[in-house]
Amino acid sequence: MLLRRATAALPKTLQNLRLYSPAATSALPLETQLDYLPGFPRPDPKHAETILAVPRADSGKNISAKERKAGRVPSIIFEQEDGQHGGNKRLVSVQTNQIRKLVTHMGYSFFLSRIFDVEVRSEIGSDEVVEKVRALPRSIHLHSGSDAPLNVTFIRAPPGTLLKVDIPLVFIGDDVSPGLKKGASLNTIKRTVKFLCPAEIIPPYIEVDLSHLDVGQKLVTGDLKVHPALKLIKSKDEPVVKIAGGRVSDQQKEQAKKDQPKKDQTKK
């Protein structure tokens, strides 16, 4: 038994929102105000942290190296254009320790699907706020050896915008899945799925229920249960997870039968 497929089309209340528009929700009719619904994951308040930043006058390899040496991560805050690459940009630097802590505590994919307040101050230690924006981390580059953040790209996410977000998948129900109980294996095909999300409703993850899957059955992206305001970017028929056949398990059982007499002889 597969999960019910989520509605692919945007609700009528969202049809007046311009894609990646900076319009504020305060200017929208009351019926378009959006919120998380009961039964759907919502961001954990403990990760609602303000990311501190300072302006960066220039870019380049040497500038970036100096910033990293000073304990800062070179960053860019883009305006929305196509939801992936920005137009106007602000060069900033954020604190290495803060970004590293967030990525470590939340996980790489979960960090990239969470909107943060980014507070740009005139300089380190100053109370003068140049700008405060809501922004979504679009990408982060980590050092291959130490996992230290090397650069971070943000995209502005004020209320009223629609953003392309890779939402992490969290698998549940594996302990009661009929197929897995029979010794079949879990073939995880996707770890994230890209959705078009209102800035007000970006789920921290999507639950994938395996509890009804038997051997040979699978779930596709259209089977995922999501908030009706989210729109799937690609085909709804892309596979997410499958309960693979039990050939390996059968081999293990056959080997166990062959080994049984040896064990019995050892006991004697």
Side-chain angles (χ1 to χ4, degrees):
M1 178 178 180
L2 300 182
L3 298 177
R4 181 178 299 176
R5 297 195 174 187
T7 305
L10 285 173
K12 292 182 178 179
T13 55
L14 294 181
Q15 292 178 358
N16 293 328
L17 289 181
R18 290 190 296 119
L19 191 61
Y20 317 118
S21 163
T25 45
S26 58
L28 299 173
L30 290 177
E31 62 267 25
T32 63
Q33 300 296 317
L34 301 170
D35 199 359
Y36 294 91
L37 297 177
F40 291 94
R42 60 179 61 216
D44 193 329
K46 72 179 181 181
H47 297 307
E49 190 166 333
T50 297
I51 295 177
L52 301 180
V54 292
R56 183 163 50 95
D58 205 352
S59 60
K61 187 175 181 179
N62 292 336
I63 297 293
S64 296
K66 289 180 180 179
E67 289 297 296
R68 295 186 189 107
K69 190 174 181 180
R72 296 187 292 271
V73 182
S75 305
I76 300 176
I77 303 175
F78 279 119
E79 297 283 354
Q80 296 92 341
E81 267 197 357
D82 62 359
Q84 185 68 32
H85 305 90
N88 297 328
K89 62 184 181 182
R90 176 187 284 278
L91 298 177
V92 298
S93 291
V94 294
Q95 297 175 322
T96 301
N97 289 341
Q98 184 180 27
I99 299 301
R100 189 168 191 168
K101 182 193 71 174
L102 286 170
V103 174
T104 300
H105 288 180
M106 299 179 65
Y108 179 86
S109 298
F110 296 87
F111 174 75
L112 294 178
S113 63
R114 171 81 189 222
I115 288 183
F116 294 93
D117 286 322
V118 180
E119 192 171 276
V120 183
R121 299 189 177 186
S122 58
E123 59 184 19
I124 298 295
S126 173
D127 293 330
E128 180 186 355
V129 178
V130 177
E131 184 183 18
K132 188 171 183 177
V133 299
R134 295 279 284 169
L136 175 74
R138 173 59 67 201
S139 64
I140 181 170
H141 181 205
L142 303 178
H143 189 278
S144 59
S146 63
D147 282 339
L150 298 178
N151 56 64
V152 187
T153 299
F154 296 92
I155 192 162
R156 293 175 186 268
T161 60
L162 295 173
L163 299 165
K164 295 177 182 177
V165 187
D166 286 307
I167 308 297
L169 303 180
V170 172
F171 299 90
I172 62 172
D174 54 310
D175 56 332
V176 294
S177 164
L180 295 179
K181 279 190 169 184
K182 294 174 183 176
S185 60
L186 181 65
N187 182 12
T188 303
I189 303 167
K190 285 185 176 292
R191 295 288 181 179
T192 64
V193 175
K194 190 183 292 289
F195 281 88
L196 186 64
C197 307
E200 299 89 336
I201 306 174
I202 298 180
Y205 57 87
I206 295 171
E207 289 186 342
V208 182
D209 189 1
L210 309 174
S211 61
H212 301 296
L213 291 186
D214 210 334
V215 177
Q217 292 185 321
K218 66 180 180 180
L219 291 174
V220 297
T221 51
D223 296 317
L224 299 177
K225 182 182 178 182
V226 299
H227 191 290
L230 273 59
K231 182 179 180 181
L232 191 62
I233 298 292
K234 295 184 179 180
S235 169
K236 63 183 180 180
D237 296 320
E238 290 190 353
V240 172
V241 66
K242 182 178 180 179
I243 305 297
R247 284 187 295 175
V248 174
S249 178
D250 292 338
Q251 291 175 0
Q252 291 174 339
K253 290 179 180 179
E254 187 65 28
Q255 186 62 43
K257 291 180 181 179
K258 293 179 180 179
D259 293 342
Q260 190 64 41
K262 298 179 182 179
K263 291 181 180 178
D264 292 342
Q265 290 174 7
T266 301
K267 289 181 181 178
K268 293 178 181 179

